[in-house]
Amino acid sequence: MTSMMDRLTPRREGDRPTRRRGHLVVGGGWRRGARIALLIVLGGLFAGAMTLGILRFLNIIVRVAGIPPELVGLVIAVALPVAALVMIALFVIPVHVIPTIALVILTLAPTRFIPSDGPFNALPPLAILMGIWVFRRIVLNQTPAENLPVVGERRPMGPRFAIGAIAVLLLFWLIASTALEGGSDTTVGWTLAFAVSVLMPLLVPNARAEARLLAQVVLVVGVLVGLYLLVEMVLKFSPVYGPPTEEFEFSVYRARAAFSHPLFAAAFMTIPASIGIGAWLQSGKLWPLFAGAISVGGIVATVSRGSVAGVGVAVAFALLLAPLFLGWKNISRWAQLLVVSVIGAVVVLNAGPLVERSDSIESQISADVRDRAVDVAFRAADLSGWIGTGPGTSGITSRLFDTIIIENSILQLLISIGIPGLILFALFMTALIWQACTRGNLSVILAMVAYVVALAGFNSIDAVRTMHILLGFLVILAVHGRGDDAARWGRGPDAPRAAFEPTDLRSTAPPERLAPEPVLRRG
């Protein structure tokens, strides 16, 4: 309770409130003026960029929907106020739900309706959403109540320092590589998209509420998308998102849901599949296991062998690491995973679409292209002396030696950012796994392993900037998540944790029994 003296004492200039529960914290004096000036400048730039983006998005809608020219003005008159309300809502809704909104849009909104040309080629709309989240958390100083620091909470600083240091080095190398290339639109745009989508979330020191909600919603989205992919595979067409374009027709029907390509859908589905398996191992609840199984079924429906291999490698890591995370008292779940994985491997490898594609001529051509891609990638990387030809330039450089597409994101990075950039990227992912280990988050470790293996099977990181946001989600989950987040659907916020573990109580001496207080009697 605030004393009467505290209430009557005038607040000195520069004093700041100590509780920040989603509201703008404004200090006194120059801090207030600097924050307001920064807010005005950034708000003006953001409003201008969003106005251009909204007009470009409306142009896409008008062209796709075939709206008559005489109705275009009416569409703009209706859409602009709606867009303005949406923008206002993004600054009013609880700040911790913004990353989850970006996840839902990525997975459920048709990709062809998400602008990706012009200014959005350098800064995808979902990266702008993440920028709004960081802006509200850092500049506006809005912090969910769950994220308020707990006195005595144990937070190892080693992995956090490693992540930050490597991220700075990686960003420095991307900027240097961009400058060496000459600063073309391609390299500048790729560096900006990667920095905003993947590295900028590290600026938020505590995103516990965001990570918890992301882990829970990713399983729900995985079930929804997985079920839709299975239905689409059975129907041989997409009842909601329409038929695929002629550019992406295959000898075997491959489900894709809202994504523009089956490989993108499969790469995303490796994340809920792995998180579901890890959360079930750590919690023993059936909901994560069900979500993981449906997600694996969705991967099979996309007929993506690289993503299937990614989940297989994640399961192998789970069998290897589970005893370290579970302890021997829960070893029965390890045995159950071993049995389920063997049965699942037999079922998946004998699935009709996968077998049919493996026997097709298209599969043989694809295997030949992948074999040639290794030689082409090495020759292209050698062209720059193995230091890279600039972020986002792997396609341009590889076409100097062959017309094939490098269907391997790791080889693409080798060409574009060279050996130094590839090593820094690998160290960055390793530091994230280290951080997840310190937080006991087996689910995210498996998700990162599966996603990286899936990326090695197609061209994503260097070619499709919209997919950078998935790495940003994994950064939030690895740095701030916990192992039981995905299994805690519908439960309240975390209970405060003391600076010691429950096992420390065993070595603590029992408290001395106090003598009863004397009772005073009259007389």
Side-chain angles (χ1 to χ4, degrees):
M1 297 295 293
T2 305
S3 65
M4 182 61 68
M5 183 61 67
D6 293 334
R7 297 178 189 174
L8 297 177
T9 302
R11 186 181 298 278
R12 293 175 299 175
E13 184 177 353
D15 286 351
R16 295 165 58 112
T18 57
R19 297 178 67 85
R20 304 182 292 273
R21 295 181 179 266
H23 300 284
L24 175 62
V25 177
V26 180
W30 66 270
R31 291 189 181 92
R32 176 183 300 176
R35 182 162 294 173
I36 293 176
L38 181 61
L39 179 61
I40 292 174
V41 172
L42 294 180
L45 294 175
F46 181 77
M50 288 308 300
T51 301
L52 294 176
I54 291 170
L55 292 176
R56 185 174 294 272
F57 177 72
L58 290 176
N59 184 32
I60 296 174
I61 297 295
V62 169
R63 187 173 64 250
V64 173
I67 298 176
E70 58 271 15
L71 297 179
V72 172
L74 178 62
V75 172
I76 294 177
V78 173
L80 285 180
V82 173
L85 292 176
V86 171
M87 292 306 304
I88 294 174
L90 289 176
F91 283 88
V92 175
I93 61 176
V95 64
H96 71 284
V97 306
I98 295 179
T100 302
I101 291 176
L103 170 68
V104 173
I105 293 175
L106 174 68
T107 55
L108 300 183
T111 304
R112 63 180 181 273
F113 288 158
I114 301 178
S116 59
D117 56 348
F120 293 109
N121 190 29
L123 200 58
L126 299 182
I128 294 177
L129 279 181
M130 299 298 288
I132 294 175
W133 170 62
V134 175
F135 179 81
R136 290 181 60 182
R137 290 296 312 274
I138 302 300
V139 179
L140 302 186
N141 216 0
Q142 298 179 357
T143 302
E146 185 180 346
N147 287 358
L148 293 176
V150 178
V151 177
E153 186 178 11
R154 182 179 291 170
R155 293 182 182 178
M157 295 304 297
R160 289 292 297 270
F161 176 80
I163 293 171
I166 296 171
V168 171
L169 292 176
L170 179 58
L171 180 60
F172 174 80
W173 177 252
L174 292 177
I175 295 174
S177 181
T178 299
L180 291 174
E181 190 271 342
S184 65
D185 293 341
T186 299
T187 55
V188 172
W190 193 96
T191 301
L192 181 61
F194 186 86
V196 174
S197 301
V198 182
L199 302 181
M200 191 172 62
L202 293 173
L203 296 176
V204 179
N206 186 352
R208 182 72 196 98
E210 289 86 344
R212 178 172 168 269
L213 185 61
L214 265 178
Q216 294 172 352
V217 174
V218 75
L219 290 188
V220 178
V221 173
V223 170
L224 295 177
V225 178
L227 290 175
Y228 184 88
L229 289 170
L230 291 171
V231 172
E232 183 181 348
M233 180 185 67
V234 173
L235 298 178
K236 296 294 191 295
F237 72 93
S238 179
V240 175
Y241 301 105
T245 60
E246 295 180 359
E247 182 182 359
F248 297 133
E249 288 185 353
F250 305 96
S251 59
V252 178
Y253 187 85
R254 305 176 66 178
R256 58 183 176 83
F259 295 86
S260 59
H261 196 284
L263 293 175
F264 301 155
F268 163 73
M269 294 301 289
T270 60
I271 296 177
S274 304
I275 289 179
I277 294 172
W280 167 70
L281 278 174
Q282 293 190 271
S283 67
K285 298 182 180 299
L286 294 180
W287 158 244
L289 180 62
F290 170 78
I294 295 297
S295 300
V296 172
I299 295 173
V300 174
T302 64
V303 199
S304 173
R305 293 168 293 180
S307 296
V308 170
V311 174
V313 173
V315 171
F317 268 80
L319 292 172
L320 180 64
L321 299 177
L324 302 178
F325 285 84
L326 302 180
W328 295 107
K329 64 179 181 179
N330 296 319
I331 201 64
S332 60
R333 285 201 291 273
W334 181 90
Q336 295 171 15
L337 176 63
L338 179 62
V339 174
V340 170
S341 59
V342 171
I343 297 175
V346 173
V347 173
V348 169
L349 294 177
N350 290 277
L354 285 174
V355 174
E356 187 177 351
R357 174 165 173 77
S358 299
D359 297 336
S360 65
I361 298 178
E362 182 182 281
S363 175
Q364 299 174 9
I365 296 175
S366 177
D368 178 65
V369 168
R370 294 175 191 274
D371 292 338
R372 290 165 54 191
V374 177
D375 177 66
V376 173
F378 285 173
R379 291 162 59 191
D382 183 62
L383 179 67
S384 64
W386 302 92
I387 64 172
T389 56
T393 61
S394 63
I396 300 173
T397 307
S398 63
R399 280 193 291 271
L400 298 176
F401 301 92
D402 204 320
T403 58
I404 65 172
I405 298 176
I406 307 296
E407 296 184 5
N408 186 315
S409 294
I410 308 302
L411 293 179
Q412 284 188 320
L413 291 179
L414 176 64
I415 298 172
S416 61
I417 60 178
I419 290 180
L422 185 58
I423 291 176
L424 287 173
F425 178 77
L427 290 176
F428 180 68
M429 301 300 289
T430 303
L432 290 175
I433 292 177
W434 180 20
Q435 168 71 4
C437 286
T438 61
R439 299 185 67 87
N441 200 341
L442 178 62
S443 304
V444 173
I445 296 174
L446 302 182
M448 295 180 65
V449 169
Y451 186 64
V452 171
V453 173
L455 291 181
F458 71 108
N459 49 319
S460 173
I461 294 182
D462 203 59
V464 186
R465 299 172 189 177
T466 306
M467 299 297 286
H468 290 175
I469 198 71
L470 286 178
L471 288 174
F473 296 150
L474 290 175
V475 167
I476 296 175
L477 292 173
V479 175
H480 306 284
R482 291 178 184 163
D484 60 344
D485 283 341
R488 293 171 58 116
W489 181 259
R491 296 177 61 180
D494 304 325
R497 293 191 176 186
F500 55 84
E501 299 294 333
T503 53
D504 296 338
L505 295 175
R506 301 175 185 172
S507 58
T508 304
E512 298 181 2
R513 189 181 300 274
L514 300 178
E517 296 183 0
V519 180
L520 300 179
R521 300 172 183 265
R522 291 187 179 182

